[in-house]
Amino acid sequence: MKHVLIIDFGGQYSHLIARRIRELEVYGEFVSHTIDTGNLLEYVRESYGVILSGGPASVWEGKHDDIIKLIIKEDKPILGICYGHQLLARALGGIVQRSHKPEFGPTTVFLKVRDRIFKGIPNSFIVWMSHNDAVIEPPPGAEVLAYSHGSPVAAMRYGIHYGIQWHPEVAHTSYGMKLLSNWLDIIGAPRVWKLDIVVDKIIEDIRGVIGDSIAVAAISGGIDSTTATLIAYKSIGSRLKPVIIDHGLHPQGEPVRSIKLLESIGLKPILVDASDMFIEALKGITDPEEKRRIFGKLYAEVLEEEALKLGAEYLVQGTIYPDIIESGGRPGASIIKTHHNVAGLPRNIRLKIVEPLKWFYKDEVRRIARKLGVPEEIIKRQPIPGPALAVRIEGEVTREKIDIVRRADAIVREEIENSGIQERLWQYFAILLNSKATGVKGDNRAYGYVVVVRAVISVDAMTASIARLQWDLLERIASRITSEIPQVTRVLYDITSKPPATIEWE
């Protein structure tokens, strides 16, 4: 698929660039700077243009000199952002040094030249800066387009290449989307990433791939698997067999609630009870990555066995773009955590994998789901990790711990939903720690488990900020958990954003 290529140099806003490009109806492909040369060149050659992201490195280190030289050699339009701007300028012969006035946060930029990239943008405007270094002198032959008090070359043009010191992708930058839109016009990128058209094409492609064969769909009742299943159902109709695996690690009320919702939209899932198998397989396992791999392997085995009973050749999954990135599935990506439906699958699985949503971010999946008529209850349902409560139990998974965290999680959900703030939150749940703490219950010393409450705000799960819950709400949650679950003596609230943490505990 032809795209705008975003090369990530470790910047905290890099994923926002891809999302902004997609919002402008052009497909944005995201790869790490650690990608091997062969794959990099393939991505560059298939692109309309390349965006170099920000990052924590300094161009003085020379870490990415080879990458930028390769890209320039391919003669594709480049837009350098922040560190990417400095990298491009230095590679073309400009001078990058420590700025006499490092800029962080809101900064005024002044235009020197009314270039096409600034069409519809005023002569001075507020942008978001985050840099110590700056381009002090432009490359020979480059034109300085804008400056700020700490960046004499805040924007430049060198032939078909542009560089800007600020971050157009963040909401704090005025006219950021306008600038990106202008750049897309300049490079001639057609606005064809329209979700309804793309989904119609995916439906047609799946019909062509699966043909007259039977497929099973791994479905949990969450938005990703439900949407993927509906797309496949529109492709092949009754030859799609939705399967829900009861692994014994679902939150309270599941999977019964999911089955009822799925039946309301015409899907008739087959329920497979494999709870004893999963809990036995996880016995004695404490490493979170090992838990995910074991879960993924067993999940695939159970699905494969059911598929063979049904005569299926294909497996439809709700894998989305962040799953692939976090599991190291894109060339050059590092493994943050293994998703059971990506890296957790055994290589020798006999089913052919179909992933209708693998190019989409979560917010895009929600828009697709609405177009397909998925009930709002499913669309607004908070994400549940594939291994479910197994990764919300620190250390070994036991039946006692599953019961404790399930009950604690139900209390967290009930109190937050009763307070009416659930639609402002991305996720809210309970975690059971492996450690214990001393408490007092009924005038007697108690030594029990510690529960952590976590609630975050996010758009696409790539980054998340903490939810600042009211103290009275937190107090009610803590009081109920310690009162209604005898084994728990202490409740904590996690105030760590992503990054540095992940949303889930493990």
Side-chain angles (χ1 to χ4, degrees):
M1 186 184 299
K2 199 154 186 186
H3 52 261
V4 165
L5 180 65
I6 297 96
I7 300 180
D8 175 29
F9 290 99
Q12 60 181 315
Y13 308 123
S14 299
H15 271 288
L16 278 178
I17 304 171
R19 290 190 58 250
R20 297 293 179 255
I21 295 299
R22 292 183 183 201
E23 286 170 20
L24 292 165
E25 300 183 335
V26 176
Y27 179 63
E29 181 69 85
F30 183 94
V31 299
S32 168
H33 70 277
T34 57
I35 187 171
D36 66 80
T37 302
N39 276 314
L40 174 64
L41 289 177
E42 186 178 334
Y43 278 114
V44 172
R45 288 166 185 165
E46 281 295 310
S47 72
Y48 297 109
V50 179
I51 297 179
L52 310 175
S53 84
S58 171
V59 295
W60 304 345
E61 299 167 10
K63 289 165 62 175
H64 306 121
D65 289 354
D66 291 342
I67 293 176
I68 187 62
K69 287 174 184 174
L70 276 172
I71 297 168
I72 291 171
K73 203 171 181 181
E74 289 300 313
D75 204 32
K76 291 283 186 176
I78 297 170
L79 173 63
I81 294 175
C82 194
Y83 172 75
H85 164 58
Q86 298 166 14
L87 189 65
L88 177 64
R90 184 172 180 268
L92 294 170
I95 297 175
V96 178
Q97 293 179 356
R98 184 71 65 177
S99 172
H100 73 279
K101 188 179 182 296
E103 295 166 310
F104 297 92
T107 306
T108 302
V109 162
F110 304 91
L111 300 189
K112 293 184 73 173
V113 177
R114 296 294 315 178
D115 188 89
R116 286 187 296 165
I117 202 166
F118 296 122
K119 181 182 177 182
I121 298 175
N123 290 329
S124 66
F125 53 101
I126 302 295
V127 301
W128 188 262
M129 294 274 205
S130 183
H131 69 100
N132 280 305
D133 296 346
V135 180
I136 304 302
E137 291 186 20
E143 187 172 24
V144 178
L145 305 180
Y147 68 93
S148 68
H149 295 307
S151 186
V153 187
M156 67 172 193
R157 180 174 60 81
Y158 183 96
I160 59 173
H161 306 315
Y162 286 87
I164 55 174
Q165 184 58 64
W166 63 92
H167 289 273
E169 70 275 20
V170 302
H172 308 291
T173 289
S174 304
Y175 305 99
M177 288 291 278
K178 179 61 177 170
L179 185 145
L180 290 173
S181 181
N182 289 343
W183 182 72
L184 292 174
D185 288 341
I186 290 167
I187 68 173
R191 310 301 176 98
V192 294
W193 183 252
K194 301 179 191 294
L195 289 185
D196 49 351
I197 296 173
V198 173
V199 170
D200 287 344
K201 175 90 167 50
I202 290 171
I203 290 170
E204 185 182 323
D205 289 348
I206 291 173
R207 190 178 293 126
V209 167
I210 297 177
D212 295 327
S213 300
I214 294 172
V216 293
I219 188 164
S220 66
I223 185 173
D224 300 338
S225 62
T226 301
T227 305
T229 300
L230 266 177
I231 289 173
Y233 183 72
K234 286 181 178 290
S235 298
I236 62 171
S238 61
R239 284 180 288 110
L240 180 75
K241 310 296 180 184
V243 175
I244 290 181
I245 296 175
D246 183 359
H247 41 62
L249 296 158
H250 290 289
Q252 191 166 288
E254 297 292 349
V256 175
R257 182 169 51 186
S258 291
I259 291 172
K260 288 181 180 177
L261 279 170
L262 294 169
E263 287 176 344
S264 74
I265 54 173
L267 298 175
K268 297 179 180 178
I270 300 163
L271 180 64
V272 179
D273 185 357
S275 52
D276 289 341
M277 293 171 60
F278 278 86
I279 293 168
E280 183 61 29
L282 292 168
K283 192 175 180 179
I285 306 300
T286 58
D287 178 75
E289 272 302 288
E290 188 64 15
K291 283 186 199 176
R292 287 178 176 272
R293 288 192 184 95
I294 288 171
F295 187 98
K297 181 175 181 294
L298 184 54
Y299 193 92
E301 288 171 357
V302 173
L303 259 180
E304 190 170 37
E305 184 180 337
E306 192 64 27
L308 292 174
K309 289 179 189 176
L310 296 166
E313 297 177 32
Y314 292 87
L315 168 60
V316 178
Q317 293 196 128
T319 308
I320 65 173
Y321 201 54
D323 295 339
I324 293 173
I325 293 165
E326 292 192 337
S327 294
R330 306 301 293 146
S334 63
I335 295 176
I336 299 169
K337 59 186 178 184
T338 301
H339 290 262
H340 79 285
N341 56 346
V342 186
L345 288 176
R347 292 184 180 180
N348 61 349
I349 188 169
R350 287 170 286 180
L351 298 170
K352 298 164 190 171
I353 308 299
V354 177
E355 297 169 314
L357 302 174
K358 69 180 179 179
W359 306 120
F360 300 100
Y361 285 98
K362 178 73 81 172
D363 56 318
E364 293 176 309
V365 174
R366 284 186 169 141
R367 284 158 56 201
I368 293 168
R370 286 194 171 94
K371 288 178 183 293
L372 294 175
V374 174
E376 282 297 311
E377 187 176 341
I378 293 177
I379 292 171
K380 292 177 179 177
R381 179 180 290 184
Q382 60 169 316
I384 299 170
L389 300 181
V391 291
R392 293 178 181 174
I393 295 172
E394 189 179 59
E396 182 182 6
V397 175
T398 66
R399 291 184 188 274
E400 180 196 32
K401 288 180 177 179
I402 294 169
D403 179 63
I404 292 170
V405 77
R406 181 178 282 141
R407 291 166 67 189
D409 185 69
I411 290 169
V412 172
R413 286 167 177 252
E414 184 179 325
E415 288 295 336
I416 284 178
E417 288 163 15
N418 285 344
S419 71
I421 63 169
Q422 67 272 20
E423 291 191 19
R424 289 167 27 206
L425 305 178
W426 179 264
Q427 276 177 273
Y428 44 97
F429 53 91
I431 303 127
L432 182 66
L433 298 189
N434 201 33
S435 57
K436 291 189 174 184
T438 302
V440 179
K441 289 193 174 186
D443 294 329
N444 294 316
R445 178 186 182 276
Y447 190 60
Y449 285 106
V450 178
V451 165
V452 176
V453 176
R454 182 149 173 78
V456 297
I457 298 168
S458 182
V459 174
D460 55 15
M462 298 309 301
T463 60
S465 57
I466 60 165
R468 290 168 172 80
L469 302 184
Q470 295 293 321
W471 280 115
D472 58 345
L473 172 58
L474 288 171
E475 285 175 345
R476 283 199 307 274
I477 290 171
S479 176
R480 284 193 59 190
I481 289 174
T482 52
S483 298
E484 297 175 25
I485 308 174
Q487 302 97 316
V488 178
T489 56
R490 192 162 301 197
V491 176
L492 310 177
Y493 187 58
D494 186 349
I495 58 168
T496 319
S497 61
K498 175 186 180 180
T502 54
I503 293 176
E504 294 293 339
W505 194 263
E506 293 192 334

